[in-house]
Amino acid sequence: LVLRCSLCGSRAFTRVRYSRLSLCRRHYAEFFERRVKNTVERYRLFKNVKRLLVCVSGGKDSVAMLYALKPYAEKCNVELLGLTIDLGIGDYSKRSVEAAVEAFKNNDVEYLLVDLSAEYGFDLDTVAENVEKLRMPKGVCSYCGSVKRYIFNKAALDSECDAVATGHNLDDLLSFTLTSMASGQVDLLIKLQPKNRGVDRLVTRIRPLATLTNRETLLYVMSIGASYVDLECPYTPERSMQKTIVEKLSEIEHRYPGFKLALYKSLLRVLRKTEVKTGPLVHCEKCGMPSSTRICSFCRLKSLMTERIGEKTTETRVTARRV
Ligand SMILES: [Zn+2]
Ligand SMILES: [Zn+2]
């Protein structure tokens, strides 16, 4: 038995269970793009946006976001500017940046490439090395997240973009929210939204893939034949609460198609009725960026890391002289 596309009768590529549709590659891609467009419209993601910074890591999600968003942004007169960061995680970063650049070129999108090491004097490999050595309070992924958020925001300000788009999907948002709630960080619930309006020098954040799952996003990049990096970052822990949550939610989704989206929409409704307190925002004394502390977390990390790199080169020089 060959499954046929419900729309055109050619060989089906996949079945969208909650819509009871079998779709060929082309019709699946259209289905996905329409879902992204509906998300942008329903949550008014393009409201007051003339120029949008699209952050692409080279992974499947951000690549999918760029391809799905480009034609629609054009129609809405929203100019796209790409951003990719070389975090300095060995071969993984090299291949990620290549995939991102390829996606920008294929979509005819101008882009910025920020080399963390060249621009700020440290890379993620150095952070990872020192997280253990110095017994730093957070994990590598947490510092990496803060580095990325900082650079996204700074690049958006510098290039006069009105908003920053990231490729977080439904699984990311649900698992992040549930992990935050499990650790009592109710304030973080606000990041569940497809859009966080900017304040002060914090640029508006939008998440156009907020209603699409990991699987749907993967199928989309496959359906259009876009290349992406399917490596996992070497610093991602093998097991984490967030990964476990994604696995369990996917088991439920498999048995009850549409479960994730229904849960997401309900959480958004709860959030709308909740008053989430955010701390007062000050400006970092070193870089002037918005911060909740006197010196922002990025500047603190940067000075700690560059100090460590400085010590290392001195050590090497001493040994060399001794020889
Ligand atoms: Zn079809
Ligand atoms: Zn700072």
Side-chain angles (χ1 to χ4, degrees):
L1 183 92
V2 180
L3 217 51
R4 297 278 164 193
C5 175
S6 319
L7 301 181
C8 71
S10 60
R11 184 185 274 269
F13 165 69
T14 186
R15 187 161 169 77
V16 182
R17 292 174 65 216
Y18 56 81
S19 309
R20 294 165 193 270
L21 286 173
S22 299
L23 297 171
C24 66
R25 274 175 195 270
R26 186 167 69 86
H27 282 121
Y28 179 75
E30 281 177 11
F31 163 82
F32 184 92
E33 287 159 10
R34 204 162 45 241
R35 290 279 309 278
V36 172
K37 175 177 172 273
N38 290 345
T39 305
V40 172
E41 280 175 356
R42 172 183 295 217
Y43 300 104
R44 299 167 202 266
L45 303 189
F46 283 170
K47 196 182 168 202
N48 298 327
V49 179
K50 290 266 165 287
R51 202 163 136 82
L52 176 65
L53 188 72
V54 185
C55 305
V56 177
S57 66
K60 71 173 197 319
D61 299 303
S62 54
V63 166
M65 167 177 69
L66 180 65
Y67 278 90
L69 214 51
K70 178 68 201 305
Y72 182 58
E74 221 154 57
K75 231 178 259 172
C76 301
N77 281 320
V78 172
E79 190 190 340
L80 301 186
L81 176 69
L83 169 69
T84 192
I85 309 173
D86 187 338
L87 293 161
I89 309 177
D91 193 45
Y92 170 75
S93 286
K94 195 174 154 275
R95 291 179 55 185
S96 301
V97 167
E98 277 169 12
V101 168
E102 188 187 327
F104 291 136
K105 287 186 173 162
N106 283 345
N107 285 284
D108 208 9
V109 167
E110 249 187 82
Y111 65 94
L112 308 167
L113 198 169
V114 174
D115 183 322
L116 182 63
S117 175
E119 248 166 86
Y120 297 99
F122 71 101
D123 57 21
L124 252 296
D125 278 345
T126 311
V127 175
E129 197 186 308
N130 284 291
V131 158
E132 282 179 31
K133 273 194 196 156
L134 304 180
R135 302 196 178 175
M136 288 159 68
K138 292 176 188 165
V140 188
C141 301
S142 166
Y143 293 108
C144 184
S146 112
V147 164
K148 286 191 277 193
R149 280 193 300 276
Y150 183 88
I151 294 178
F152 293 168
N153 196 68
K154 180 145 189 348
L157 288 173
D158 290 349
S159 59
E160 295 178 335
C161 289
D162 318 293
V164 171
T166 55
H168 294 101
N169 66 36
L170 180 55
D171 288 88
D172 297 329
L173 297 179
L174 283 178
S175 59
F176 176 78
T177 302
L178 294 175
T179 314
S180 306
M181 286 168 83
S183 62
Q185 294 171 282
V186 183
D187 304 0
L188 293 180
L189 212 65
I190 193 163
K191 291 195 180 177
L192 178 74
Q193 300 177 105
K195 176 179 192 164
N196 289 121
R197 227 177 312 146
V199 277
D200 190 69
R201 303 188 73 195
L202 271 184
V203 180
T204 296
R205 287 285 298 268
I206 65 167
R207 305 175 181 94
L209 302 188
T211 63
L212 291 140
T213 64
N214 259 332
R215 185 172 173 274
E216 287 171 317
T217 308
L218 178 65
L219 285 170
Y220 175 66
V221 285
M222 287 166 64
S223 74
I224 59 170
S227 46
Y228 63 97
V229 173
D230 63 350
L231 298 168
E232 191 170 54
C233 171
Y235 298 125
T236 305
E238 196 117 347
R239 292 242 53 93
S240 66
M241 186 192 278
Q242 209 165 332
K243 272 191 181 173
T244 311
I245 290 174
V246 171
E247 276 168 29
K248 296 301 163 193
L249 289 177
S250 300
E251 274 174 34
I252 304 175
E253 177 74 28
H254 186 74
R255 194 170 295 186
Y256 305 101
F259 167 79
K260 287 178 185 173
L261 190 57
L263 176 63
Y264 181 67
K265 288 186 173 167
S266 299
L267 284 169
L268 284 182
R269 282 169 61 195
V270 173
L271 186 61
R272 240 173 268 141
K273 292 178 183 163
T274 321
E275 237 180 88
V276 182
K277 269 183 275 165
T278 44
L281 217 52
V282 294
H283 292 118
C284 169
E285 287 180 7
K286 286 198 167 169
C287 70
M289 287 292 137
S291 170
S292 50
T293 48
R294 204 168 56 80
I295 309 280
C296 78
S297 55
F298 180 83
C299 285
R300 274 181 284 152
L301 182 69
K302 179 177 164 249
S303 51
L304 186 60
M305 288 306 119
T306 44
E307 214 172 89
R308 294 290 295 177
I309 293 170
E311 279 168 21
K312 209 176 178 181
T313 45
T314 329
E315 275 166 30
T316 336
R317 222 177 290 136
V318 171
T319 344
R321 212 176 289 148
R322 220 180 283 150
V323 171

